[in-house]
Amino acid sequence: MAGASLLTLIDDIATVLDDVAVMTKVAAKKTAGVLGDDLALNAQQVAGVHADRELPVVWAVAMGSLRNKLILVPAALLISLVAPWLITPLLMLGGAYLCFEGFEKLAHPLLHSAAEDEAHHQALTAALSDPATDMLAFERDKIKGAIRTDFILSAEIIAITLGTVAAAPFLSQLTVLSGIALIMTVGVYGLVAGIVKLDDGGLYLSGKDNTALQWLGALMLNAAPYLMKTLAIVGTAAMFMVGGGILSHGLSFLHHAIEQTTAIAGNLPLVGRTLALLTPTVLDALLGIVAGALVLLLVTAGQRGWRLVRG
C-alpha cells in the first residue's frame, strides 16, 4: 500500500509539473509580444551611459525589475484569490495599453516634430560632454526611469500570465507566475547586456590582426543599429498582435467574428490553409491598431483638457 501510495504521489507530482510546463510555455508565448519592445526600450534606456558603466547600469535595472516582480506576483495571486472577476478587466486594460503604446510609436512623427527630437538629442549630447555634469546623478536618473518603465512592462507580462493560469490551482499559479517572472527578467536583461556591448565587442574584434575577426567585428558594428531598429519594429508589431488578441478574446462578439472570418478564409481553394493560419493574427493586429488609435485619441484629448483646466 505504501509503495502504491508513493507511486500515486509521484504520478500526481509529475502531472502537476507537466501542467505547469505547458502553462508556462503558453504564458511565455503570449508574453513574447512584450519582449521585443522590452528589449529595445531597455537597451535605449541605457544609451548615453559611458561604456565601462553600461553593464553595472543594466545590472542595477535588472535588480529593480526583480523587485518590481516581487511586488507584482503576490499582488496578482491576491487578486486571483480575492477578486478573480478582476482578471479579465485587468487583461483588457493591459491589452489596451499595449495597443496604445504601439500606436504611439507609429504616431510619434505626427505628434513630435523632427526639430523636437533633434533638440532632445543635442541637449543629451551636450550634457554628456559637459565636465560639470554629475554622471552618478545621470546614471541614477537613467536607472530610475528604466525601472519605472520596467514596472509597466512587467505588469503587462504578469497580467497576461495570470489570465493564462486563472483556472489553475494556487500552487500552479504561483509556480508559473514566478517562473515567467524569472525567465523574463534573466532573458530580457541578459539580452540587453549583450545588445549594449555588441558595438564594444565589434570594436575589440576590429582591432585584431586576424582578417576574419576584423570582418566579424565590422559586421557587428554595422549590425548593432539595425538590430535595435529591428527589435523596435518587431516589438511594435507584436504589441498590436498580442494586445488585439487580448481584446478580441475579452469581447465575445469580436472573437466570434474573427472565428467566422477564419473559417470562411480556410474554405477557400489552394490558399485556404495558409489563410486560416494568418487570418486570426492579421485581424488581431488590425484590431490592435484601431484600439491603439482610439486610446491615443482619448489620452491626447484628456491631456489637452487637463491643460485647459489648469490654465
Side-chain angles (χ1 to χ4, degrees), residues 98-309:
L98 280 174
C99 298
F100 160 73
E101 194 174 9
F103 197 83
E104 191 179 36
K105 292 177 186 298
L106 293 182
H108 182 85
L110 300 176
L111 299 174
H112 305 278
S113 66
E116 283 181 294
D117 291 339
E118 182 61 26
H120 174 74
H121 177 72
Q122 288 180 356
L124 179 60
T125 303
L128 291 173
S129 304
D130 187 356
T133 301
D134 185 348
M135 293 309 298
L136 287 177
F138 178 77
E139 275 189 20
R140 284 195 294 270
D141 290 341
K142 280 276 185 183
I143 291 167
K144 287 178 182 177
I147 291 173
R148 283 194 299 268
T149 302
D150 175 271
F151 188 88
I152 296 170
L153 294 169
S154 294
E156 293 171 7
I157 289 169
I158 296 301
I160 294 169
T161 304
L162 183 61
T164 303
V165 298
F170 177 80
L171 183 59
S172 296
Q173 289 182 354
L174 174 62
T175 306
V176 173
L177 283 167
S178 301
I180 288 292
L182 284 173
I183 290 168
M184 287 297 178
T185 302
V186 173
V188 165
Y189 290 100
L191 287 171
V192 167
I195 290 169
V196 299
K197 300 306 289 184
L198 186 64
D199 52 352
D200 291 339
L203 192 62
Y204 173 78
L205 292 176
S206 297
K208 294 293 183 181
D209 294 332
N210 187 294
T211 305
L213 291 178
Q214 289 177 352
W215 178 84
L216 180 59
L219 180 64
M220 290 169 65
L221 284 170
N222 291 326
Y226 292 105
L227 175 61
M228 289 294 294
K229 289 178 182 177
T230 301
L231 281 173
I233 292 169
V234 171
T236 301
M239 290 173 107
F240 288 130
M241 289 186 287
V242 174
I246 291 171
L247 293 176
S248 69
H249 279 81
L251 300 170
S252 57
F253 69 96
L254 286 175
H255 183 61
H256 292 320
I258 290 174
E259 282 187 334
Q260 290 172 358
T261 306
T262 302
I264 293 170
N267 289 327
L268 293 174
L270 300 177
V271 294
R273 181 174 296 181
T274 302
L275 286 178
L277 291 173
L278 294 176
T279 299
T281 302
V282 172
L283 292 179
D284 283 341
L286 290 174
L287 174 61
I289 292 171
V290 172
L294 291 174
V295 175
L296 181 61
L297 283 173
L298 289 173
V299 170
T300 303
Q303 288 174 340
R304 289 178 179 174
W306 179 248
R307 281 196 290 267
L308 288 173
V309 170

